[in-house]
């Protein structure tokens, strides 16, 4: 049995990589570039503005996108809001229809609900029992006045990878735009795939060993792509997102993104081996079903349900020695079963008895062994 808590909740957030901390501390200690990056009338402000520009270039290079398409935000919730609401408001004269998927993160679904109350027509696409969007249903849902489709690249609860290239081809053939919530994709799958196909995508630093409180919306280099700002109060970020920028946050994010991309192959091989180890352990426990078993998935996330146990008891007991989640971190206090699992047709009792294991680059084989040992122990004792 495990003796000290083991962190297996990397999809909720990650610790900051010490190399990122180094960069951030260096920036915070800078005796000149502490200034307001908008105060470019003096040398201090210019130094800060240079740091913002450097972060933008570094992030753009890591993502292989153009630097001017990056709009800094406070995280992916804000980036998703700006993408969806900002695009819908800016283009409402052309249409009132928007499409998303029932298994999206709340930071997308709640934007759609808000827009529905303001007169937009919303289509929520279902998924199959593996969590996959049916491309034919997407094709049929698109209408002449569809403005935007929003689909996440990698699901935060199940790890399912959607076929963004195929989705983009259908959306673009109908003259609509595609937004991708790429939060769980960055550092997990090649970002070129998303950059090439999405018109806009959202990312955040704290899922890739960067700091919390900083993210970005990345826009395709296309002058016809119009957004309106949601925050007013200054002309930062091409007047799309007012507010003083924080160079230490931005450079920390850029460093984390560069590391996530450059160390992708190494980290993925490590995590894939741990994933196999975990799955091999689960395979010996007949009460356990692994969700989205047949779908392409990232190895970082494994979502299971345990038959014949009370979900709340299981989760409480398991989290005494482990740190796992039973759904998205944003839903922890709602005690609602996962909307993602329910949408995949998982029965309520099973959806309530789910655990999401999410692995990171600091996870070790002995962490996985301890996670399995403790689960076996609980299954014998609860
Ligand atoms: C898929 C997805 N989208 C959006 C978010 C929100 O990101 P942030 O915490 O940066 O606002 C998260 C984080 O939980 C996520 O997993």
């Amino acid at each position: 049995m495990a003796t000290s808590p083991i962190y297996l909740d990397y999809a909720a957030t990650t610790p900051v990589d010490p190399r990122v901390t180094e960069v951030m501390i260096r920036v915070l200690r800078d005796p000149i570039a502490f200034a307001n990056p908008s105060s470019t009338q003096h040398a201090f402000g210019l130094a800060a503005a240079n740091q913002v520009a450097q972060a933008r270039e570094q992030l753009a290079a890591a993502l292989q996108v153009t630097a001017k398409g990056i709009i800094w935000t406070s995280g992916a919730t804000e980036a998703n809001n700006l993408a969806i609401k900002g695009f819908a408001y800016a283009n409402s004269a052309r249409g009132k229809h928007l499409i998303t998927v029932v298994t999206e993160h709340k930071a997308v679904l709640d934007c759609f609900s808000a827009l529905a109350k303001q007169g937009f027509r919303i289509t929520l696409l279902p998924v199959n029992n593996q969590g996959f969007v049916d491309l034919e249903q997407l094709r049929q849902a698109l209408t002449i006045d569809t403005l935007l489709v929003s689909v996440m690249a990698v699901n935060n609860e199940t790890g399912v990878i959607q076929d963004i290239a195929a989705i983009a081809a259908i959306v673009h053939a109908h003259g609509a735009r595609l937004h991708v919530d790429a939060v769980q994709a960055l550092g997990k799958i090649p970002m070129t795939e998303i950059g090439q196909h999405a018109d806009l995508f959202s990312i955040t630093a704290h899922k890739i060993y960067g700091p919390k409180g900083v993210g970005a919306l990345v826009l395709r280099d296309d002058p016809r792509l119009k957004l309106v700002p949601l925050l007013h109060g200054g002309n930062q970020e091409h007047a799309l997102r007012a507010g003083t920028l924080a160079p230490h946050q931005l450079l920390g994010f850029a460093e984390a993104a560069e590391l996530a991309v450059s160390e992708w192959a190494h980290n993925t091989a490590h995590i894939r081996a741990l994933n196999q180890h975990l799955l091999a352990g689960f395979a010996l426990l007949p009460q356990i079903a692994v969700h989205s078993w047949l779908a392409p998935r990232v190895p970082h996330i494994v979502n299971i349900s345990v038959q014949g146990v009370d979900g709340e008891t299981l989760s409480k007991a398991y989290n005494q020695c482990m740190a796992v989640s039973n759904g998205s971190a944003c839903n922890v206090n709602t005690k609602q079963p996962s909307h993602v699992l329910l949408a995949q047709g998982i029965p309520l009792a099973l959806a309530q008895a789910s655990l999401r294991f999410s692995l990171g680059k600091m996870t070790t084989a002995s962490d996985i062994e301890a996670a399995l040992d403790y689960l076996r122990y609980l299954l014998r004792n609860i």
Side-chain angles (χ1 to χ4, degrees):
M1 207 206 319
T3 50
S4 60
I6 290 173
Y7 190 77
L8 293 173
D9 203 16
Y10 285 83
T13 197
T14 52
V16 180
D17 187 300
R19 292 166 292 182
V20 171
T21 315
E22 279 297 306
V23 168
M24 294 180 70
I25 290 174
R26 201 182 63 228
V27 179
L28 282 169
R29 288 197 173 130
D30 192 306
I32 296 173
F34 68 86
N36 190 321
S38 297
S39 302
T40 49
Q41 72 280 15
H42 53 62
F44 294 82
L46 272 177
N50 275 340
Q51 293 197 324
V52 172
Q54 192 190 318
R56 206 184 296 279
E57 291 295 337
Q58 191 180 2
L59 182 62
L63 300 173
Q64 296 186 39
V65 297
T66 52
K68 71 173 195 266
I70 292 173
I71 302 170
W72 302 114
T73 63
S74 61
T77 301
E78 187 191 333
N80 284 342
N81 272 264
L82 179 57
I84 297 163
K85 296 197 261 183
F87 185 85
Y89 297 149
N91 296 280
S92 63
R94 284 200 297 111
K96 285 279 196 180
H97 183 225
L98 307 162
I99 301 176
T100 191
V101 183
V102 67
T103 48
E104 293 293 308
H105 191 275
K106 290 279 181 221
V108 165
L109 291 175
D110 288 357
C111 291
F112 276 75
S113 307
L115 289 168
K117 290 189 190 120
Q118 294 163 27
F120 285 87
R121 223 172 68 256
I122 306 300
T123 300
L124 272 185
L125 292 175
V127 292
N128 69 11
N129 65 3
Q130 297 299 312
F132 233 59
V133 175
D134 181 331
L135 298 183
E136 199 38 51
Q137 282 180 329
L138 168 63
R139 207 173 273 122
Q140 282 169 18
L142 283 150
T143 62
I144 189 89
D145 74 333
T146 307
L147 294 176
L148 184 74
V149 178
S150 182
V151 181
M152 76 202 319
V154 172
N155 187 277
N156 54 303
E157 294 195 29
T158 56
V160 169
I161 308 170
Q162 299 292 346
D163 186 346
I164 293 299
I167 289 170
I170 296 168
V171 171
H172 292 151
H174 279 76
R177 298 286 192 164
L178 178 66
H179 166 250
V180 173
D181 177 337
V183 165
Q184 302 285 348
L186 180 53
K188 317 293 191 308
I189 63 172
M191 288 304 284
T192 43
E193 170 91 347
I194 291 164
Q196 271 166 23
H197 299 293
D199 297 291
L200 327 85
F201 65 92
S202 307
I203 49 176
T204 192
H206 75 98
K207 311 280 185 180
I208 57 162
Y209 311 92
K212 290 166 190 55
V214 58
L217 177 64
V218 183
L219 302 183
R220 180 191 287 284
D221 188 7
D222 176 353
R224 290 166 309 163
L225 188 61
K226 299 274 185 250
L227 296 184
V228 296
L230 303 183
L231 295 184
H232 301 94
N235 63 358
Q236 292 93 346
E237 301 304 274
H238 320 291
L240 279 175
R241 200 275 187 174
T244 303
L245 293 169
H248 67 292
Q249 295 281 82
L250 309 186
L251 280 162
F253 183 15
E255 182 72 14
E258 186 178 310
L259 292 170
V261 171
S262 64
E263 297 178 354
W264 172 78
H266 175 266
N267 291 339
T268 303
H270 170 66
I271 291 168
R272 200 175 291 286
L274 298 174
N275 169 288
Q276 294 306 315
H277 185 165
L278 194 60
L279 291 180
F282 290 152
L284 299 174
L285 298 168
Q287 311 88 315
I288 286 181
V290 177
H291 296 301
S292 301
W293 179 248
L294 300 172
R297 284 175 290 134
V298 291
H300 309 69
I301 298 177
V302 179
N303 195 321
I304 63 165
S305 278
V306 185
Q307 259 158 24
V309 298
D310 172 63
E312 205 178 330
T313 312
L314 172 73
S315 169
K316 268 198 187 136
Y318 200 63
N319 274 303
Q320 275 170 15
C321 290
M322 300 287 148
V324 296
S325 126
N326 44 351
S328 163
C330 308
N331 281 343
V332 160
N333 295 323
T334 66
K335 297 208 171 144
Q336 293 295 317
S338 153
H339 70 285
V340 173
L341 297 183
L342 293 180
Q344 293 186 200
I346 309 297
L348 182 65
L350 268 189
Q352 278 168 331
S354 71
L355 295 175
R356 177 188 70 180
F357 294 78
S358 50
L359 320 179
K361 63 183 182 182
M362 286 93 165
T363 309
T364 64
S366 68
D367 292 341
I368 299 295
E369 208 36 61
L372 287 167
D373 271 352
Y374 190 49
L375 190 60
R376 288 188 280 256
Y377 165 81
L378 284 186
L379 293 183
R380 286 193 305 270
N381 292 285
I382 59 170

